[in-house]
Amino acid sequence: MTTIGDGASLTLSWRELLELAEGFLTAHGLSPEQARALALSLCRAERDDSRSHGLQRLPGTLETMAHPAFNRKADPRAEMLTPAIIRVDADYGFSSLAVERGLPPLMEAARSLGIAVLAVNNGFHATALWPVLEEIAAQGLAGLSMNPTHDWVAPAGGSGGVLGTNPIGFSWPRRGRPPYVFDFATSAGARAEIALRRQQGRALPPGWGLDREGRPSTDPAAVLAGAMLPFGGHKGSALATMIELLAGPFIADRTSRQSALFDDGARAAPCHGELIVAFDPVLVGAASGQGNDAEAAAEDLFARIEQQGGRLPGARRHAARARAKTEGISISRPLHEKILALMP
Amino acid sequence: MTTIGDGASLTLSWRELLELAEGFLTAHGLSPEQARALALSLCRAERDDSRSHGLQRLPGTLETMAHPAFNRKADPRAEMLTPAIIRVDADYGFSSLAVERGLPPLMEAARSLGIAVLAVNNGFHATALWPVLEEIAAQGLAGLSMNPTHDWVAPAGGSGGVLGTNPIGFSWPRRGRPPYVFDFATSAGARAEIALRRQQGRALPPGWGLDREGRPSTDPAAVLAGAMLPFGGHKGSALATMIELLAGPFIADRTSRQSALFDDGARAAPCHGELIVAFDPVLVGAASGQGNDAEAAAEDLFARIEQQGGRLPGARRHAARARAKTEGISISRPLHEKILALMP
């Protein structure tokens, strides 16, 4: 293993990074197929400098795999519930392999019907949404993805946790360039960021959370014991509620509260459903004979956002990815040591 | 016509209200079918005390009908582009009749496939999203709706208008109660509210807009001449961008900028596309044999939001609707006089 780097970090190649993550997971008994799918997602995040969804999630997989319901040998299969809805039961493994197996039939259905849904059930979810959304965009389709988490977030006007941090992500394909992709939590701040600020003794921005009595607080410990708040007031709260309903009851899976109850103190990754919708961005225009050029209209929109200094989401990730190609991927030395120390 | 009421308002029955709105529109040459569909939507808003989308929009329909492209006789028909995508070309009439004609095939397709899309093209759009979303929920389906408007809103980090105020709405059916329905603009404030504050000489809350030079401003006139801002910073900006793409290029219709260019100073209602998605909330559970009870899970979520003082969106509208049943619908006397004065 290459160990270039200063005291605080070392630099690995893409292959070394993948081997580290896959090796860790298979050494702890995860099936090779599951290990490969999850490692790929974590390593993509690490490579793109999206560290919160990168290899720092690897130690936590041990708590997830220790959940009584966790299935190290889960071997999910896609089934067509209708011509527009593909379902994959992750069977209590990590959700990554289930998503991977559902993507080809999802994209085939979207190309034929213009829209299709992938419903992933019963997966322990530890990854960002954008890697999958990028894969959908790479096939020329638009993607929309969302999932519940645990009931850490109070509704607007409320006092205690009901909603999840409920991420939502979206991708739109662009010819010859990285796709337009966003992926954000509907909570005002990220739970990992609040935990980090508690460690560092730093206050939270106002509006991020409530204490146990439902009073606004900027104390990270009080908010972790109380409730987080949604972004954007009642609008963000409504969106988070929609995500609960569409990625929970609509696909016959857990709400954030049900997921937290299922965890029952195991501190595993949340086990829930995941909704992924794929859209064919040229089908309607072609089928209806409408003159409007979808690609030109979208590109004009992106250009106008960038021309005035607005940043397209994902730009930072793509810059990090380009650097990683030539310079390798730098990972924190303490994290690397922790991963090695946790090897069985 | 009943003319109970104080000096400032008068009270009409539902039938009188509808006759007033329909009579106004047909007197100005709109086809009876188009007039009925649009009047129904405006009167529902008026009845529910959602005045900004109520009869105060009636005088403005004259400017819309004066747009060179407007088609008073548009007679839209639904076509199936695929088994999952229904398209209705509004043919440059108001979008309401096109939506009405597309709803039955949309709901039939959603019941069969679990998800379906209604793409409405080339409609002049003057109505709220929630009346249609309520109709979808009344049939036991969930609904999601969105559309662009005009390019009044700067992206997060930007300085000038690119995005629309892009509303998004969602409904979830509830047995024996009004559905869960939200409907909000992705701009921080409503354009009508900014115009109202300019009339009243009241400043805007911080974060609502920029002046012509792209500097933050609380002066309503400066923001109307400059740009509005999205709600929720870069997250709201990303959502507004998604709405541009899905309710624009995906359905081969105009972005907010293209819609503004099409208006060309006519001050008509924005002419653009509208995306409506319907979901069957019990199909996945039934088809997959999953045990999770979608209805119970959703009702538990709503109960927990309300128990802690969180308000379910739409509650105010339903209270106003109940009052209207017994007390009739109060409308402003100056508005009533203005409508009568504009009769040809």
Side-chain angles (χ1 to χ4, degrees):
Chain A
M1 186 170 288
T2 323
T3 51
I4 314 165
D6 55 22
S9 69
L10 73 170
T11 301
L12 303 182
S13 70
W14 171 248
R15 179 166 299 275
E16 288 166 337
L17 192 74
L18 261 182
E19 280 172 5
L20 174 67
E22 271 192 71
F24 179 88
L25 293 165
T26 52
H28 285 284
L30 193 64
S31 76
E33 286 267 77
Q34 279 209 59
R36 193 191 36 70
L38 177 59
L40 195 58
S41 186
L42 300 179
C43 290
R44 280 179 179 162
E46 190 71 24
R47 172 199 63 188
D48 289 6
D49 202 20
S50 177
R51 308 283 169 172
S52 61
H53 287 86
L55 262 57
Q56 75 173 52
R57 301 238 163 172
L58 219 38
T61 60
L62 300 185
E63 282 162 316
T64 298
M65 290 192 277
H67 189 288
F70 190 84
N71 180 2
R72 286 178 167 77
K73 308 292 176 209
D75 186 28
R77 301 286 163 192
E79 50 177 332
M80 304 287 297
L81 294 188
T82 75
I85 301 198
I86 293 94
R87 174 179 182 260
V88 185
D89 189 331
D91 196 17
Y92 300 99
F94 287 107
S95 57
S96 299
L97 182 58
V99 172
E100 188 183 299
R101 296 234 169 116
L103 281 184
L106 170 71
M107 296 196 278
E108 196 184 323
R111 268 195 211 93
S112 141
L113 292 173
I115 188 169
V117 165
L118 172 59
V120 174
N121 291 133
N122 304 315
F124 287 88
H125 185 96
T127 55
L129 304 177
W130 60 261
V132 169
L133 291 167
E134 281 193 3
E135 285 185 56
I136 292 171
Q139 301 300 317
L141 299 170
L144 174 65
S145 178
M146 57 188 84
N147 60 254
T149 60
H150 279 179
D151 58 344
W152 293 308
V153 180
S159 55
V162 174
L163 305 166
T165 50
N166 298 4
I168 182 168
F170 173 76
S171 61
W172 183 268
R174 303 181 69 188
R175 202 191 307 238
R177 320 183 193 211
Y180 174 88
V181 183
F182 69 73
D183 173 1
F184 60 78
T186 49
S187 51
R191 195 157 183 87
E193 171 73 15
I194 298 177
L196 183 68
R197 286 182 185 237
R198 177 174 56 177
Q199 276 180 12
Q200 298 170 336
R202 290 167 61 210
L204 303 179
W208 278 33
L210 307 173
D211 67 16
R212 226 188 267 258
E213 280 72 45
R215 295 171 305 206
S217 174
T218 57
D219 172 5
V223 167
L224 288 172
M228 300 163 71
L229 281 170
F231 91 100
H234 74 277
K235 295 182 181 183
S237 187
L239 274 175
T241 305
M242 176 188 84
I243 295 168
E244 289 287 327
L245 294 165
L246 287 182
F250 169 56
I251 58 167
D253 214 316
R254 295 172 193 81
T255 59
S256 290
R257 176 172 167 80
Q258 292 174 322
S259 176
L261 292 173
F262 182 81
D263 187 62
D264 198 18
R267 302 176 62 88
C271 182
H272 52 59
E274 204 176 332
L275 177 75
I276 304 177
V277 188
F279 307 81
D280 187 329
V282 298
L283 184 143
V284 174
S288 66
Q290 278 285 98
N292 207 38
D293 180 336
E295 184 178 359
E299 289 302 324
D300 180 70
L301 176 68
F302 299 137
R304 283 176 195 281
I305 291 173
E306 288 196 306
Q307 273 158 21
Q308 60 175 276
R311 201 168 55 89
L312 294 185
R316 207 182 54 85
R317 283 200 298 272
H318 290 291
R321 192 177 310 175
R323 277 198 310 277
K325 254 197 180 152
T326 53
E327 299 169 18
I329 299 140
S330 141
I331 86 161
S332 125
R333 194 176 294 273
L335 174 60
H336 186 249
E337 282 165 6
K338 185 173 178 184
I339 291 167
L340 296 183
L342 287 169
M343 283 285 192
Chain B
M1 185 169 290
T2 324
T3 51
I4 315 164
D6 55 23
S9 68
L10 74 170
T11 300
L12 303 183
S13 71
W14 172 247
R15 179 166 300 275
E16 287 167 335
L17 192 73
L18 261 182
E19 280 171 5
L20 174 65
E22 271 192 71
F24 179 88
L25 292 166
T26 51
H28 284 286
L30 194 63
S31 75
E33 286 267 78
Q34 278 208 60
R36 192 192 37 69
L38 176 59
L40 195 57
S41 186
L42 299 179
C43 290
R44 280 180 180 163
E46 190 72 24
R47 172 199 65 189
D48 289 5
D49 202 19
S50 178
R51 307 281 169 173
S52 62
H53 287 87
L55 262 57
Q56 75 172 52
R57 301 236 164 175
L58 217 39
T61 60
L62 300 185
E63 281 163 318
T64 298
M65 291 192 277
H67 188 288
F70 189 84
N71 180 2
R72 285 177 166 79
K73 307 291 176 211
D75 185 28
R77 302 284 164 193
E79 50 176 332
M80 304 286 295
L81 293 188
T82 75
I85 302 198
I86 292 93
R87 173 177 182 261
V88 186
D89 189 331
D91 196 19
Y92 299 99
F94 287 107
S95 57
S96 298
L97 182 59
V99 172
E100 188 184 296
R101 297 232 169 120
L103 280 183
L106 170 72
M107 296 198 278
E108 197 185 322
R111 268 196 210 91
S112 141
L113 293 174
I115 188 169
V117 164
L118 173 58
V120 174
N121 290 133
N122 304 316
F124 286 87
H125 185 95
T127 54
L129 304 178
W130 59 262
V132 170
L133 291 167
E134 281 193 3
E135 285 185 55
I136 293 172
Q139 301 299 317
L141 300 170
L144 174 65
S145 178
M146 57 188 84
N147 61 253
T149 60
H150 279 179
D151 58 345
W152 293 308
V153 180
S159 55
V162 175
L163 304 166
T165 50
N166 298 4
I168 181 168
F170 174 77
S171 62
W172 183 267
R174 303 182 69 188
R175 202 191 306 239
R177 318 183 193 209
Y180 173 89
V181 183
F182 69 73
D183 173 1
F184 60 78
T186 49
S187 51
R191 195 159 182 86
E193 171 72 15
I194 299 176
L196 184 68
R197 285 182 184 236
R198 177 175 56 178
Q199 275 180 13
Q200 299 170 335
R202 290 167 60 212
L204 303 180
W208 279 31
L210 307 173
D211 66 16
R212 225 190 268 256
E213 280 72 45
R215 295 170 305 205
S217 174
T218 59
D219 172 5
V223 167
L224 289 172
M228 299 164 72
L229 281 169
F231 93 101
H234 73 277
K235 295 182 181 183
S237 186
L239 274 175
T241 305
M242 177 188 83
I243 294 168
E244 289 286 329
L245 293 166
L246 287 182
F250 169 57
I251 58 167
D253 214 316
R254 294 173 194 80
T255 59
S256 291
R257 176 171 168 80
Q258 291 174 322
S259 175
L261 290 173
F262 183 82
D263 186 64
D264 198 19
R267 302 174 62 88
C271 181
H272 51 62
E274 205 176 332
L275 176 74
I276 304 177
V277 188
F279 306 82
D280 188 328
V282 298
L283 184 143
V284 174
S288 66
Q290 279 285 98
N292 208 41
D293 181 336
E295 184 177 0
E299 289 303 324
D300 180 70
L301 176 68
F302 298 138
R304 284 175 193 281
I305 290 173
E306 287 195 306
Q307 273 158 21
Q308 60 174 275
R311 200 169 56 90
L312 294 185
R316 205 180 58 84
R317 282 200 299 270
H318 291 290
R321 192 177 310 176
R323 278 199 309 277
K325 254 197 181 152
T326 54
E327 299 169 17
I329 299 141
S330 141
I331 86 161
S332 128
R333 194 176 294 273
L335 174 60
H336 186 249
E337 282 165 7
K338 185 173 178 185
I339 292 167
L340 296 183
L342 287 170
M343 284 283 193

